[in-house]
Amino acid sequence: MCNIDLFDTSEPQRRATEIELFADEIKDITNRFDETWLYLAILIIPKRKKEQLLEKLLAPRRRIPCDSEIKCHDLDKTTKRWLAEKWIDIVLRDKDERSLYFDVLGLNLSRLHLPTFGNEQFENIYNRFFRSCVLHAINTCFSNRNVTVLNVFHDKGDQSKHQFFPWHSIYSIEEQSKRIHFAKREIEFINSDHREVDGGIDSHFIQLVDLLLGLSSHCLDFVSTNNSRTKVAQKFLPLLERMMKNPLNVNSSYGYARKYLISFFPKKQLSASQLRDPYEKQLSGFYHRRPLLLKDHLSNQQSLFP
């Protein structure tokens, strides 16, 4: 994944950077290629930028006004769609502010050797690749720095009931990287709806993760004909296309290099015997390019109406 060492143990060179992590996932996305995908994402917010970013997210809410929860699959109302577009504008224009970072990981479940993950397949798959995503995101976006993770917030779901996930991910990441320290020993699961008691201001950032995940899947898989979702996804599409085509383009006007990341796994399906072969495993690693089925759909529409 961009030649970044997921398990970097080099000596830290700088004072610790304080960050917070926000995580979410979407699953069971089956596209026209009959591929079933699981997507997960990590949103990273530097602590010193959090208040500023929150104000940017809340300002358009007050302007409409709109106090609804923003979820990518539910953008039918004009106010929700407008607010989602404003939030994507914030992402697109964050080049100089650098108030947010994110890493999207897509897992092609149709290619994974599922027996490798035991009886609790989803939980074990998610646990393993959640750790990989966090390590990749931090090591790419904050290379050669000490990093203190003040909080890890995750949308409330089945993972909160798993006996290992809430604490084991944190333990394993610290074992694999000397540069990363977690101030809290467990992931905090919160409601994505800021209007609920167990929601609050951090729920707005969970909603932003959901939006980034949903739009990424919509651009890649196009499994919904929801026009409101497509309208918002069209704003996100040019950035996503560039991220996949040239992940380390430091000259991009979006400023996404080592800031906005997307990758997929595995590149090809392997048998149990191939998984034991280091060379075969390397050939079936992470990759960056996939067809953008939304782009194909839009191109077909244009060809019908020249």
Side-chain angles (χ1 to χ4, degrees):
M1 299 168 74
C2 298
N3 296 321
I4 300 298
D5 182 3
L6 290 177
F7 313 118
D8 176 26
T9 56
S10 59
E11 289 298 319
Q13 301 296 320
R14 304 180 187 179
R15 184 179 176 182
T17 298
E18 295 184 332
I19 63 174
E20 292 189 335
L21 306 183
F22 300 83
D24 197 5
E25 98 285 340
I26 54 175
K27 55 187 177 181
D28 299 330
I29 305 295
T30 303
N31 60 31
R32 74 182 191 206
F33 299 131
D34 203 28
E35 298 171 333
T36 301
W37 287 86
L38 162 66
Y39 295 93
L40 59 104
I42 306 296
L43 173 69
I44 302 178
I45 301 176
K47 180 63 176 177
R48 61 189 181 87
K49 296 285 188 175
K50 184 178 181 181
E51 185 175 342
Q52 173 187 342
L53 179 60
L54 179 63
E55 176 55 31
K56 286 184 178 181
L57 296 177
L58 294 181
R61 277 193 182 279
R62 293 191 289 263
R63 200 179 312 156
I64 304 177
C66 176
D67 196 39
S68 300
E69 179 183 6
I70 298 303
K71 297 188 77 67
C72 191
H73 72 265
D74 182 27
L75 297 178
D76 288 336
K77 293 184 178 179
T78 303
T79 52
K80 289 185 179 182
R81 186 187 69 201
W82 185 88
L83 181 55
E85 288 179 339
K86 294 303 177 185
W87 279 16
I88 292 303
D89 284 338
I90 293 169
V91 173
L92 299 179
R93 297 169 182 170
D94 195 60
K95 177 180 179 180
D96 297 322
E97 292 294 336
R98 304 190 77 78
S99 59
L100 62 98
Y101 303 75
F102 68 81
D103 193 342
V104 175
L105 175 59
L107 300 175
N108 188 342
L109 300 182
S110 306
R111 291 182 183 173
L112 283 181
H113 189 263
L114 297 178
T116 305
F117 296 94
N119 294 327
E120 296 180 318
Q121 287 182 350
F122 171 76
E123 291 80 3
N124 293 334
I125 289 170
Y126 194 81
N127 197 1
R128 173 179 171 182
F129 287 99
F130 177 85
R131 298 195 306 267
S132 296
C133 195
V134 171
L135 280 163
H136 179 249
I138 294 177
N139 284 335
T140 304
C141 300
F142 303 96
S143 58
N144 299 320
R145 300 189 204 178
N146 275 330
V147 173
T148 298
V149 181
L150 300 175
N151 294 288
V152 182
F153 297 103
H154 197 293
D155 189 19
K156 185 175 289 185
D158 294 338
Q159 296 89 343
S160 63
K161 303 172 186 176
H162 192 268
Q163 60 177 327
F164 297 120
F165 180 74
W167 62 270
H168 188 260
S169 298
I170 290 173
Y171 170 81
S172 296
I173 291 168
E174 285 191 334
E175 284 288 300
Q176 294 173 68
S177 177
K178 296 178 181 179
R179 298 188 301 103
I180 303 173
H181 169 69
F182 288 81
K184 294 184 179 178
R185 309 314 302 169
E186 288 199 10
I187 296 169
E188 183 176 349
F189 295 89
I190 62 174
N191 198 310
S192 58
D193 192 338
H194 57 283
R195 299 166 298 183
E196 298 295 331
V197 174
D198 56 348
I201 63 171
D202 292 308
S203 295
H204 296 286
F205 301 117
I206 296 292
Q207 292 174 44
L208 180 57
V209 180
D210 176 271
L211 184 62
L212 292 169
L213 274 172
L215 295 180
S216 296
S217 173
H218 193 65
C219 291
L220 289 159
D221 302 303
F222 192 61
V223 296
S224 170
T225 56
N226 183 305
N227 289 330
S228 294
R229 194 186 309 182
T230 295
K231 183 176 176 62
V232 182
Q234 283 181 267
K235 293 181 73 75
F236 187 64
L237 182 62
L239 169 60
L240 185 64
E241 185 173 23
R242 286 162 177 78
M243 289 166 56
M244 293 195 299
K245 185 176 181 180
N246 190 352
L248 294 176
N249 180 15
V250 296
N251 297 315
S252 170
S253 60
Y254 293 111
Y256 64 80
R258 297 185 179 275
K259 187 173 185 296
Y260 301 155
L261 316 167
I262 188 165
S263 55
F264 313 102
F265 183 89
K267 196 169 186 178
K268 68 174 186 175
Q269 189 168 10
L270 297 181
S271 65
S273 61
Q274 287 174 314
L275 284 169
R276 292 191 289 270
D277 185 322
Y279 177 72
E280 290 283 357
K281 284 186 68 174
Q282 185 177 7
L283 292 178
S284 184
F286 295 91
Y287 62 104
H288 299 284
R289 295 195 182 190
R290 279 179 57 196
L292 289 160
L293 299 188
L294 174 60
K295 185 178 179 181
D296 291 348
H297 169 74
L298 296 173
S299 298
N300 290 336
Q301 278 192 328
Q302 291 172 358
S303 65
L304 291 174
F305 304 99

